[in-house]
Amino acid sequence: MDSFSKSATFYDQYDHVQSESARELMKWVSGKTFSHVRELGCGTGKHTVSLLHASQATHLLAIDRSADMIEYAKLHHSHPKISYRCQSFESTDLSLEEQLIFSNASLQWSCNLERVLTRLCAQKQSSCWFLASLFGPETFKELAVSLRSVLGAPVNLPSASFYSDIQLYQVSKDLFSDLDFYQEKRIRVFPTVTDLFKSIKYTGTKGRGIAEKKIWTRHFLEKLDTAYRHRYGDIAVTYQVFYIRAR
């Protein structure tokens, strides 16, 4: 998460897909009233004020494990009804007042997603809604294939470890009595592979251990760009997004 923390000032320039999923979630929130809201993984706070207004909340507690993101949110997206707190998903405790738990494109990074969801479900009131979007394992699948063809070896991007639709649905179905689950695949085209990597870096989706840093030369990136276009026609990337609405 270190590189993600350092990217706070750039995140909002590159979070196109995250903004789209936030708008999708917000459609359901708008027109309803939730007095107390908990946001898990608020990032820079870009969507937190919008969530406050959409939910008509009297208080919104937004948490994120990145101290830099929380400081940025406090500086750029402060509001009398919003409290920002540096805290992980795993350690957050719900109050009895929460009426909505909201999380956009964040929970896939949980160390143990099933444990986090189980804990939240055990703590929340039966009337409290849980609304979330999460990335799935098909995210960046074109990049993984292109890297493998250039490196000549298997490549495990972090997204490969994300819950599949079947896994996430089953866990959610076991925990929630009222569940609406669906997915969509968004395609985004980048001008070059370099632009793709900038987006990955600044939105916190950068992987660990893909390869040693010394290979990321201009020559390698050009070779990867060529291989990518040869296979897919352009630098098109799939984002698999799951949506959960439950209580």
Side-chain angles (χ1 to χ4, degrees), residues 190-207:
F190 292 86
T192 66
V193 161
T194 300
D195 292 298
L196 167 57
F197 278 120
K198 283 182 180 178
S199 176
I200 292 173
K201 175 182 179 180
Y202 292 129
T203 56
T205 47
K206 181 181 179 182

Side-chain angles (χ1 to χ4, degrees), residues 222-235:
E222 289 176 348
K223 187 176 181 181
L224 178 60
D225 194 290
T226 299
Y228 206 124
R229 294 179 192 278
H230 178 73
R231 181 176 291 271
Y232 297 106
D234 51 26
I235 311 302

Side-chain angles (χ1 to χ4, degrees), residues 93-107:
D93 289 314
L94 300 179
S95 72
L96 297 178
E97 297 179 311
E98 249 94 38
Q99 295 184 343
L100 173 65
I101 304 167
F102 181 97
S103 182
N104 177 52
S106 298
L107 286 172

Side-chain angles (χ1 to χ4, degrees), residues 82-131:
I82 298 176
S83 299
Y84 291 104
R85 180 185 299 172
C86 184
Q87 191 175 49
S88 69
F89 307 136
E90 292 78 10
S91 62
T92 190
D93 289 314
L94 300 179
S95 72
L96 297 178
E97 297 179 311
E98 249 94 38
Q99 295 184 343
L100 173 65
I101 304 167
F102 181 97
S103 182
N104 177 52
S106 298
L107 286 172
Q108 69 274 354
W109 296 113
S110 302
C111 295
N112 188 320
L113 179 55
E114 183 173 2
R115 183 181 300 169
V116 169
L117 293 179
T118 300
R119 190 167 183 268
L120 290 174
C121 194
Q123 290 185 358
K124 79 177 190 65
Q125 298 295 297
S126 60
S127 59
C128 176
W129 284 96
F130 175 69
L131 191 63

Side-chain angles (χ1 to χ4, degrees), residues 34-38 52 55-62 79-85 95 97-98 100:
F34 302 94
S35 63
H36 288 72
V37 177
R38 178 75 60 97
L52 175 73
S55 64
Q56 304 180 63
T58 56
H59 183 257
L60 193 161
L61 174 57
H79 191 283
K81 295 181 179 179
I82 298 176
S83 299
Y84 291 104
R85 180 185 299 172
S95 72
E97 297 179 311
E98 249 94 38
L100 173 65

Side-chain angles (χ1 to χ4, degrees), residues 211-225:
E212 295 182 14
K213 289 183 178 180
K214 65 182 181 182
I215 77 162
W216 301 106
T217 62
R218 179 179 177 181
H219 173 70
F220 177 82
L221 291 174
E222 289 176 348
K223 187 176 181 181
L224 178 60
D225 194 290

